[in-house]
Amino acid sequence: MLVWLLGLVLFALGICLSVALHEAGHMLTAKAFGMRVRRYFIGFGPTLFSFRRGETEYGLKAIPAGGFCEIAGMTALDPVTPEEAPRAMWRFATWKRVVVLAAGSITHFIVGFIILYLMAVTMGLPNTSDRALVGTTSCAAPTQDPVTLKYAECAPGAVSPAAAAGIQAGDEIVSLNGQPVGSWKELIGKIRGLSGQNTFVVERDGEQRTLTVDIATVQRVGLDSKPGSTDNKLTEVGAIGVSQGRYFEYGVASGFSGAVVFTGEMFAATWEGLMRFPEKIPAVIRAIGGEDDPERPVSVVGASIIGADAAEQGIWEIFVLMLAMLNFFVGVFNLLPLLPLDGGHIAISLYERVRDALRKLRGKAPAGPVDYNKLAGVTMVLVIIGGAIVLLTVTADIVNPIRLQ
């Protein structure tokens, strides 16, 4: 329990650090362009302490759930003092405002990438593409229980056909008998229909090696069989005695390219998750009623619980990966063109720029800043909807959290 609580605290601190860096991104870019930054605070609620450096007040508040960076004149409706007016944010060029507004999300992306790079060179990156990466080698057990799906014990000293041929943990099998291997499932499917000596090409440390494997004939159930089913049937198939590798290991140099590729995969997964988010809301409601769905959306609370479970079980790869995923999700979500998110303010800034450019072509003067009062109703609706979704996901994660088994 102590380790679980420690994991929970560490994950929460990781989130707080990400939020602090998000707001620091806004602050540093605003200061670099000459905008007036009034306050930079971590947390909300009563102020625990604060101090002033130059024109900016820095501080920590009692509730460590977020933070804020207050820039003078973020919109033309925000009151500013005569001293602040020349440096009000809305007076600056559009591209400068966009940079400042996007800096928070960009900071999340940088933090996420750094986490993935450090993970690549220490723990390895997850094999999310289902590539045919070898995890371990063991004997090709002669039989498999059709109900439990467990394998029979190997004879003492038995060596797997893969190991006997020279295949090692960490190798990636790229072809079989001259045919490319696209995934782990494809590899196993091909091996099942073979026996005797066959030619494998594996990639190890950037080099490809050709090996001859004497495929064993064993009794197995179908690839889509489920534990506990009495309908599973045993058939004779080929096997080489390997398990799938879950993580790709990298060096200091190769870790950079590995992190770049995995970052792209995470961006794609994050965007897909956001697009599918509305259809997952019913699963959140059902979770409150006790139904389990491991693919339902989770809140920061749920992510923290999963991180704590990972720490307790010593699966630090999941703990670190959850922090990276959270940074990418928050970064992408924050850029959605909806108020009051940063993406909403960016959309308005770009709208003003395009609108004034079109007015100029027609010989008209710029129309001035957008009146945010006219958008207050839409903003309030989005805030209410967003608040309701947060309340639902947090409630589900408290009463029926997703746990690592």
Side-chain angles (χ1 to χ4, degrees):
M1 186 63 180
L2 182 61
V3 175
W4 190 89
L5 290 174
L6 177 61
L8 188 69
V9 171
L10 287 176
F11 199 89
L13 288 175
I15 295 173
C16 289
L17 179 60
S18 294
V19 171
L21 292 173
H22 173 108
E23 298 301 332
H26 289 313
M27 178 185 68
L28 294 175
T29 49
K31 283 179 173 289
F33 289 136
M35 300 175 188
R36 178 70 176 264
V37 179
R38 294 169 176 161
R39 295 191 297 166
Y40 171 79
F41 272 76
I42 302 302
F44 293 102
T47 300
L48 298 180
F49 73 87
S50 68
F51 60 92
R52 182 171 292 276
R53 288 287 185 273
E55 62 190 19
T56 305
E57 181 185 8
Y58 303 84
L60 178 68
K61 290 186 174 289
I63 305 174
F68 62 91
C69 169
E70 184 181 355
I71 304 172
M74 188 171 176
T75 74
L77 298 178
D78 296 340
V80 294
T81 66
E83 179 187 3
E84 295 172 334
R87 297 168 58 199
M89 182 176 176
W90 70 269
R91 293 182 179 275
F92 284 73
T94 300
W95 72 270
K96 293 183 178 180
R97 283 182 283 154
V98 169
V99 169
V100 173
L101 290 167
S105 287
I106 292 172
T107 302
H108 279 300
F109 300 150
I110 293 173
V111 171
F113 178 80
I114 291 174
I115 291 174
L116 291 181
Y117 173 75
L118 294 176
M119 188 175 179
V121 299
T122 55
M123 306 174 180
L125 292 175
N127 180 16
T128 56
S129 59
D130 194 39
R131 287 158 59 184
L133 179 71
V134 177
T136 59
T137 61
S138 61
C139 83
T143 59
Q144 182 180 17
D145 189 293
V147 178
T148 65
L149 302 189
K150 293 182 178 180
Y151 297 106
E153 292 186 6
C154 296
V159 178
S160 73
I167 294 179
Q168 301 176 7
D171 288 351
E172 182 178 358
I173 300 174
V174 295
S175 74
L176 171 56
N177 292 332
Q179 298 298 314
V181 173
S183 68
W184 179 262
K185 188 172 184 178
E186 179 185 348
L187 170 68
I188 298 304
K190 288 182 176 182
I191 292 175
R192 284 181 162 233
L194 299 172
S195 63
Q197 294 189 340
N198 292 265
T199 303
F200 287 68
V201 175
V202 302
E203 186 170 312
R204 183 187 307 161
D205 299 327
E207 297 182 1
Q208 291 193 353
R209 306 166 186 238
T210 302
L211 303 171
T212 300
V213 182
D214 190 2
I215 297 179
T217 299
V218 299
Q219 289 191 324
R220 296 283 187 270
V221 297
L223 290 176
D224 298 323
S225 298
K226 298 180 179 180
S229 174
T230 57
D231 296 329
N232 298 333
K233 304 298 182 182
L234 285 172
T235 56
E236 288 193 345
V237 298
I240 62 173
V242 292
S243 66
Q244 184 179 17
R246 300 298 180 183
Y247 291 89
F248 285 101
E249 296 181 359
Y250 296 88
V252 175
S254 61
F256 183 83
S257 60
V260 168
V261 172
F262 196 77
T263 295
E265 293 177 359
M266 293 200 74
F267 269 120
T270 300
W271 181 253
E272 181 183 359
L274 282 172
M275 294 300 98
R276 295 184 59 195
F277 188 86
E279 68 185 61
K280 291 291 185 179
I281 297 301
V284 176
I285 297 174
R286 291 194 298 270
I288 296 175
E291 182 178 319
D292 292 326
D293 184 350
E295 295 186 1
R296 67 174 170 84
V298 297
S299 66
V300 173
V301 173
S304 300
I305 291 174
I306 295 173
D309 284 347
E312 184 178 42
Q313 298 177 31
I315 314 174
W316 292 100
E317 295 90 344
I318 294 180
F319 181 94
V320 176
L321 186 62
M322 287 293 295
L323 282 176
M325 290 173 63
L326 193 64
N327 274 280
F328 284 113
F329 176 81
V330 173
V332 172
F333 180 80
N334 199 50
L335 289 179
L336 293 178
L338 304 170
L339 289 173
L341 301 176
D342 290 336
H345 293 288
I346 291 174
I348 289 174
S349 297
L350 294 176
Y351 163 76
E352 291 174 347
R353 185 73 180 90
V354 172
R355 178 204 59 192
D356 291 344
L358 293 176
R359 289 177 65 88
K360 184 177 181 180
L361 290 175
R362 294 158 57 192
K364 295 184 177 181
V370 166
D371 185 354
Y372 274 72
N373 285 329
K374 295 181 179 180
L375 300 174
V378 176
T379 302
M380 184 58 65
V381 170
L382 293 175
V383 168
I384 292 174
I385 294 175
I389 291 174
V390 170
L391 181 61
L392 281 174
T393 53
V394 169
T395 302
D397 289 332
I398 292 175
V399 302
N400 187 22
I402 295 175
R403 308 299 298 266
L404 289 182
Q405 300 299 323

